[in-house]
Amino acid sequence: MDLSDFRREYSAKGLHREDLFDDPIRQFEAWFTQAVGLNLHEPNAMSLATVGGGGMPLLRTVLLKYFDARGFVFFTNYESRKARQIEVNPQVSLLFPWITLERQVVVQGRAERVGTAESLKYFASRPRDSQIGAWVSSQSSVISSRKLLMQKLDELKRKFSDGEVPLPSFWGGFRVVPETVEFWQGGPARLHDRFLYQRAGEEWEIERLSP
């Protein structure tokens, strides 16, 4: 299928330096709040890129669960492929593709495990079925059929039927501590607006990039 003529024109909304906060986290919060207010589907969905020991990048979608001045946090199985790659190479990238708003945000930084107490706090807030699901799946491992997963799910529902579901030792969060954050706004004639925040000690430097 030839997609060379598959294109659309972007609007002339534009993005200007004076519109930006000096802190990229505050700027991200402003855009994220707008995305939520416009009822975008899963605005916290982000593509996570990792690179393992072999040098081949891998991309998948995960859900941002919270963010603050320290970075962007998601949760996963620590025995999963993504977690194993992060252990080898903690340098990762995140992409928020808010296509409907003609926007995207790209974060580059270092992923580090959050503390057990932080993981437990989030785990306790999850629906019970999601808590049990964390115990069921040996994420990224090969399985012969879905039936085995459902059998294990039934077993664990019985096992934990009389009390709280404990936090698995192999499950928890990662925080991506940003080193750069790029904000992209679509523009007419493919002259998009791009601003790159780069960490400079305790401050951030902001530069406009050519589209």
Side-chain angles (χ1 to χ4, degrees), residues 24 72 105-108 178-183 195-197 204:
F72 303 82
V105 180
V106 179
V107 179
Q108 290 180 303
E179 297 172 6
T180 69
V181 185
E182 180 184 329
F183 294 86
F195 285 93
L196 180 68
Y197 291 73
W204 292 90

Side-chain angles (χ1 to χ4, degrees), residues 30-202:
W31 274 22
F32 184 80
T33 300
Q34 290 176 11
V36 172
L38 292 171
N39 296 316
L40 261 64
H41 182 64
E42 301 282 18
N44 62 324
M46 58 188 186
S47 300
L48 166 68
T50 57
V51 179
M56 178 66 74
L58 187 62
L59 194 66
R60 80 287 286 159
T61 300
V62 298
L63 295 179
L64 174 68
K65 288 304 177 182
Y66 53 89
F67 63 93
D68 55 27
R70 296 174 295 168
F72 303 82
V73 178
F74 67 93
F75 292 85
T76 190
N77 187 312
Y78 284 144
E79 297 174 358
S80 65
R81 183 163 51 177
K82 72 175 79 66
R84 295 198 304 269
Q85 289 191 334
I86 288 172
E87 293 300 321
V88 173
N89 179 6
Q91 299 299 319
V92 304
S93 185
L94 305 173
L95 168 66
F96 294 86
W98 296 327
I99 306 301
T100 304
L101 298 181
E102 300 178 356
R103 289 175 173 175
Q104 66 178 15
V105 180
V106 179
V107 179
Q108 290 180 303
R110 181 182 180 87
E112 54 188 36
R113 290 193 186 194
V114 305
T116 301
E118 198 169 344
S119 292
L120 179 58
K121 180 179 179 180
Y122 171 69
F123 186 80
S125 74
R126 301 182 91 202
R128 187 176 180 84
D129 283 350
S130 296
Q131 292 177 339
I132 296 175
W135 281 94
V136 171
S137 176
S138 180
Q139 199 173 98
S140 303
S141 63
V142 177
I143 58 175
S144 60
S145 70
R146 183 176 178 82
K147 182 178 179 181
L148 294 178
L149 288 177
M150 302 312 295
Q151 289 175 343
K152 189 172 181 181
L153 176 63
D154 289 339
E155 292 173 5
L156 288 169
K157 281 184 175 180
R158 291 192 294 271
K159 178 179 179 179
F160 298 131
S161 62
D162 295 331
E164 295 183 355
V165 180
L167 173 71
S169 61
F170 52 81
W171 192 94
F174 281 103
R175 174 176 287 104
V176 178
V177 180
E179 297 172 6
T180 69
V181 185
E182 180 184 329
F183 294 86
W184 181 99
Q185 175 75 64
R190 294 300 188 262
L191 297 181
H192 313 302
D193 291 304
R194 298 172 60 194
F195 285 93
L196 180 68
Y197 291 73
Q198 297 188 78
R199 191 181 291 279
E202 297 300 317

